[in-house]
Each structure stands twice: as structure tokens, then as C-alpha cells.
Amino acid sequence: MTALAEPTAIIIDCADPRALAEFYGKATSWRITYSDNEIAYLGDGPIQLAFQRIEGYRGPGWPDAAKHAHLDFKVADVEVATKELLALGATRPGFQPGGDGWTVLADPEGHLFCVSAG
């Protein structure tokens, strides 16, 4: 079956596109491929992460009954990666539903993401 569409970017609403791209760039070692006052693109592979400025943006709450998308990242060591991501500006919410399977973190603007060992 021929694909109807091919994904090219995952775009995340935010207040400061460049700052958020820099955070995720440090976390993933992806480089910023484009940035202006309104949007920043990260990575040069078949799928990019992009961050789009939204006036008055407020990050999601956690936990929250409203459904939010989040990113998952595979890491070699969850404890080490968590410490390094916290040093980059992530926060670790108190509510951690993953047990030992994964750790929920929030980026500097409050977007949730998870790290797991595979």
C-alpha cells in the first residue's frame, strides 16, 4: 500500500522556540537546523523536532485528566540520564507512574517526556 502521507516533523507549541530547541539539542545531540523568532527546527533526519512560539503559552499540568502528547527517549542508563537531564534544566514531577520501567520528566517549559532503558 502506498503511503498517503509521510511525517516530517513533530512540532511542539512553546513560549521560547530557540531555548527549547537548545535543551533538546543538548539532550539528543541533534543540531538546530533552522531558527527564527517564531520557530526552531532540530535534527536533519527524516523526522525533525520543531518548536513553535505561541503567544501566552503555558505548559501542561501533570498529572492532569486532559490528554497530552509526550516524547519517549531510550537511554543507556535511566538514573544517569535523569541526573544529566535535570542538570540541563528538566524537572522531575512527583507523580511517577512508571515504577522502575521509566522516569517521567518535564522540559524547561513543562512538556512531559519519558526516559527508559529500551
Side-chain angles (χ1 to χ4, degrees), residues 58-115:
R58 291 187 328 238
W62 176 251
D64 189 340
K67 302 298 180 204
H68 299 282
H70 70 272
L71 301 171
D72 284 347
F73 293 99
K74 179 173 72 172
V75 297
D77 183 306
V78 173
E79 185 176 333
V80 169
T82 297
K83 287 179 185 176
E84 291 179 9
L85 290 161
L86 292 171
L88 290 175
T91 56
R92 182 179 180 156
F95 180 60
Q96 293 289 320
D100 292 333
W102 65 83
T103 297
V104 176
L105 297 172
D107 70 25
E109 288 200 17
H111 303 95
L112 299 172
F113 65 97
C114 296
V115 292

Side-chain angles (χ1 to χ4, degrees), residues 11 28 46 50 74 110 118:
I11 300 173
T28 63
K74 179 173 72 172

Side-chain angles (χ1 to χ4, degrees), residues 42-54:
L42 190 64
D44 56 7
I47 301 229
Q48 294 179 294
L49 284 177
F51 307 93
Q52 174 178 276
R53 179 183 312 282
I54 300 295

Side-chain angles (χ1 to χ4, degrees), residues 9-72:
I10 299 166
I11 300 173
I12 298 172
D13 294 344
C14 64
D16 188 341
R18 179 73 186 202
L20 214 48
E22 288 174 356
F23 169 81
Y24 281 102
K26 290 174 185 171
T28 63
S29 293
W30 289 10
R31 67 182 185 85
I32 295 173
T33 55
Y34 178 82
S35 177
D36 64 24
N37 288 334
E38 299 302 317
I39 197 158
Y41 282 86
L42 190 64
D44 56 7
I47 301 229
Q48 294 179 294
L49 284 177
F51 307 93
Q52 174 178 276
R53 179 183 312 282
I54 300 295
E55 190 66 35
Y57 178 79
R58 291 187 328 238
W62 176 251
D64 189 340
K67 302 298 180 204
H68 299 282
H70 70 272
L71 301 171
D72 284 347

